[in-house]
Amino acid sequence: MFLAKVSINRPVMITMLVSVFVVFGILAYFTLPLNLMPQADLPYITIQTIYPGAGPAEIETQITKRIEDAVSTISRIDYIESYSMDNVSLVVLAFELGKKIDVASQEVRQKVDAILNEFPADAEKPSIDKFDPGSWPIMELILTGDMDSRGLFEIADKTLKDRFSQIEGVAKVNITGGQEREIQVKLSDRTVAQNLISLPQLAQILSAHNLNMPGGHFLQADQEYTVRLEGEMESLHDLQNLDIPTPYGTRKLRQLALVSDSGKEIRKRAIYYDNFNRTREDNVVRISIVKTSEGNPVSIARAVYRELDAIRAELPANARLVIVDDDSRFIRSSLGDTLSNVFLGILFTGLVLLFFLHDLRSTLIVAVAMPTSIISTFLAIRLSGFSINILSLMGLSTSVGILVTNSVVVLENIFRHMQMGNTRRQAANIGTTEISVAVIASTLTNI
């Protein structure tokens, strides 16, 4: 075989060439992203439309059906699924695998934008998203402490969410649990009836009196000044003393309604169970960190751990922030498991060859060939845009078995020719050339 002859006649050149692959393979390994699963662009598009207060029948006729009719003309659609529920319409478009997801998303957006004026006035603008199987939380944290749920939510939403969102590779930070602050104005039926109060008109008055708005600009000499009307209320007292016109004269809001600094209705709760310590905490806020499609879970987790000490120092004394789930641990364990299997395969292969061949030099050649091949593979993985994940690690584990088989077969044939009286160079050349086609064919069957 040509490659075997060159390797025998030009050992220095081949050694330098292999060394280049090994060096760049090592460099590529440290820059490879680590993921649980490989990145996959599945051709699925979801269209979600919120229509507050509408039932399934209204959602279907006024939202879902119109969206289905608009997008059905897009090419290469495999099937369409739609769900009409209370307050929300969800349409799922599945395209054929050859369809580019970015092109499909743009086409869907254009079709939906063209029918926006046909939707009810109270319906929100449809949200069009690509389905990303990798957009799951990679880390889960809980914020708990000896304080009310409003205080916990305030810390999570105003402080922790911003800090974690700034980490490179983080797409979004989801918050579940706690209670969001809300100023409530409650009127009794009797008060509304006696004062002939229009609730929509009252809502407009409250909105208009709690608003900052630009007022243009004016010139004075050679200076230009901007004008802004500051109308937002700064305290609960200001809201209580707001003048409300009624048919019987102007009244203060506190005379008509109960104004309180309260919280929104809790629709989602977070409860933490610690199965090891047999404890349960009801007053918690769950913080879920979701990575981008290109994000590295291991790098993100390391950055979160680095930030934790500084964040905990800024938290109130009666608040605790704890990591309860970290996917990067499983990824690192999988990587360590695979690499340990590779090293064990190299070790035991060398011992078996040494036991049967009684030749230390030949054993070392095989023992060096296997890690050299695997390390060089990291360069090909990097150039191909792949990541280190369960599937690529499985491929590396499989390749170790292929390398062991090929090494044993080639080395045994070389030894056979040496026993027939050929020199080392002749045996290496003839022994490799004889079975090169068979070795390549057996490797291709695995590929």
Side-chain angles (χ1 to χ4, degrees):
M1 188 178 181
F2 171 75
L3 187 58
K5 186 178 296 184
V6 173
S7 302
I8 296 169
N9 297 331
R10 299 286 187 269
V12 176
M13 182 188 73
I14 295 298
T15 302
M16 296 303 297
L17 183 62
V18 172
S19 300
V20 168
F21 280 102
V22 170
V23 170
F24 281 100
I26 294 174
L27 295 176
Y29 171 77
F30 289 105
T31 61
L32 280 172
L34 301 178
N35 284 303
L36 185 63
M37 295 295 291
Q39 175 63 25
D41 292 329
L42 299 181
Y44 286 81
I45 302 290
T46 60
I47 308 171
Q48 178 177 287
T49 310
I50 305 296
Y51 186 10
E58 291 79 14
I59 291 289
E60 181 183 11
T61 57
Q62 300 182 34
I63 301 292
T64 305
K65 188 65 169 62
R66 293 174 180 175
I67 292 177
E68 289 178 344
D69 293 341
V71 301
S72 60
T73 58
I74 299 176
S75 62
R76 305 190 69 180
I77 292 181
D78 189 9
Y79 62 88
I80 299 177
E81 286 186 2
S82 60
Y83 304 89
S84 299
M85 301 165 284
D86 286 330
N87 307 315
V88 63
S89 164
L90 180 64
V91 180
V92 180
L93 282 76
F95 292 87
E96 297 175 4
L97 288 179
K99 184 80 170 184
K100 292 185 178 180
I101 188 65
D102 293 329
V103 176
S105 177
Q106 185 62 31
E107 292 177 350
V108 171
R109 196 175 302 276
Q110 291 175 354
K111 294 292 185 179
V112 173
D113 289 344
I115 60 170
L116 287 179
N117 58 347
E118 300 179 14
F119 291 163
D122 295 336
E124 298 181 5
K125 185 176 180 180
S127 174
I128 302 172
D129 300 300
K130 295 182 291 186
F131 175 71
D132 184 6
S135 61
W136 69 85
I138 61 168
M139 293 190 73
E140 300 274 3
L141 302 92
I142 62 166
L143 177 66
T144 183
D146 188 16
M147 61 174 62
D148 62 3
S149 56
R150 282 177 51 191
L152 290 175
F153 183 87
E154 190 77 11
I155 294 174
D157 187 52
K158 303 299 183 184
T159 303
L160 302 182
K161 185 175 182 179
D162 293 338
R163 293 288 292 271
F164 291 134
S165 297
Q166 295 171 2
I167 295 176
E168 183 179 359
V170 174
K172 60 181 177 179
V173 179
N174 298 326
I175 297 177
T176 308
Q179 187 177 34
E180 189 175 354
R181 185 187 181 191
E182 182 179 73
I183 306 299
Q184 296 182 352
V185 179
K186 297 181 179 179
L187 294 89
S188 65
D189 295 340
R190 181 178 179 180
T191 302
V192 173
Q194 287 179 347
N195 294 273
L196 300 178
I197 297 175
S198 170
L199 294 182
Q201 184 180 3
L202 178 60
Q204 293 177 0
I205 293 173
L206 295 178
S207 177
H209 283 79
N210 188 36
L211 180 67
N212 288 340
M213 56 187 301
H217 64 277
F218 66 91
L219 294 174
Q220 185 173 4
D222 58 346
Q223 297 291 325
E224 181 179 282
Y225 298 90
T226 58
V227 180
R228 185 167 63 97
L229 175 62
E230 295 185 354
E232 286 189 355
M233 299 178 185
E234 297 181 355
S235 65
L236 197 66
H237 181 266
D238 294 340
L239 181 60
Q240 291 173 337
N241 290 320
L242 182 65
D243 292 330
I244 304 297
T246 69
Y248 307 105
T250 302
R251 303 285 183 88
K252 298 294 184 182
L253 184 60
R254 67 174 183 270
Q255 297 174 319
L256 302 173
L258 175 63
V259 182
S260 60
D261 188 352
S262 183
K264 287 186 176 182
E265 180 184 0
I266 299 177
R267 305 298 297 270
K268 290 183 179 181
R269 296 186 61 191
I271 300 175
Y272 175 60
Y273 295 93
D274 189 343
N275 291 325
F276 293 102
N277 299 320
R278 301 294 180 183
T279 59
R280 164 177 168 161
E281 295 187 36
D282 296 323
N283 187 28
V284 300
V285 175
R286 187 181 72 176
I287 303 171
S288 305
I289 299 177
V290 181
K291 74 177 187 68
T292 61
S293 57
E294 299 84 12
N296 187 335
V298 176
S299 300
I300 294 173
R302 289 172 181 165
V304 170
Y305 280 106
R306 287 195 298 266
E307 286 283 335
L308 275 183
D309 292 336
I311 291 174
R312 285 169 175 162
E314 299 174 5
L315 292 177
N318 55 347
R320 295 184 295 109
L321 183 63
V322 182
I323 297 177
V324 295
D325 188 23
D326 181 6
D327 284 352
S328 67
R329 296 173 183 171
F330 178 75
I331 297 174
R332 289 195 297 265
S333 299
S334 300
L335 176 62
D337 248 0
T338 304
L339 293 180
S340 64
N341 289 337
V342 171
F343 294 142
L344 288 175
I346 295 171
L347 175 62
F348 288 122
T349 300
L351 292 177
V352 169
L353 291 176
L354 181 61
F355 179 78
F356 283 100
L357 298 179
H358 305 289
D359 191 314
L360 181 61
R361 183 178 181 184
S362 300
T363 303
L364 290 177
I365 290 174
V366 176
V368 170
M370 286 191 292
T372 299
S373 303
I374 293 174
I375 293 174
S376 302
T377 304
F378 291 129
L379 176 60
I381 294 176
R382 186 71 178 87
L383 295 177
S384 301
F386 298 152
S387 64
I388 296 182
N389 51 71
I390 290 180
L391 295 185
S392 58
L393 290 176
M394 183 178 66
L396 283 177
S397 301
T398 306
S399 68
V400 173
I402 301 172
L403 288 172
V404 170
T405 303
N406 293 344
S407 300
V408 171
V409 171
V410 172
L411 197 59
E412 191 275 335
N413 199 42
I414 292 174
F415 264 75
R416 184 175 67 86
H417 281 279
M418 288 177 58
Q419 293 172 356
M420 293 170 58
N422 294 311
T423 64
R424 289 179 177 268
R425 286 177 173 268
Q426 291 174 338
N429 185 22
I430 300 172
T432 305
T433 303
E434 275 185 352
I435 61 172
S436 60
V437 176
V439 168
I440 294 174
S442 64
T443 305
L444 288 177
T445 58
N446 288 277
I447 292 176

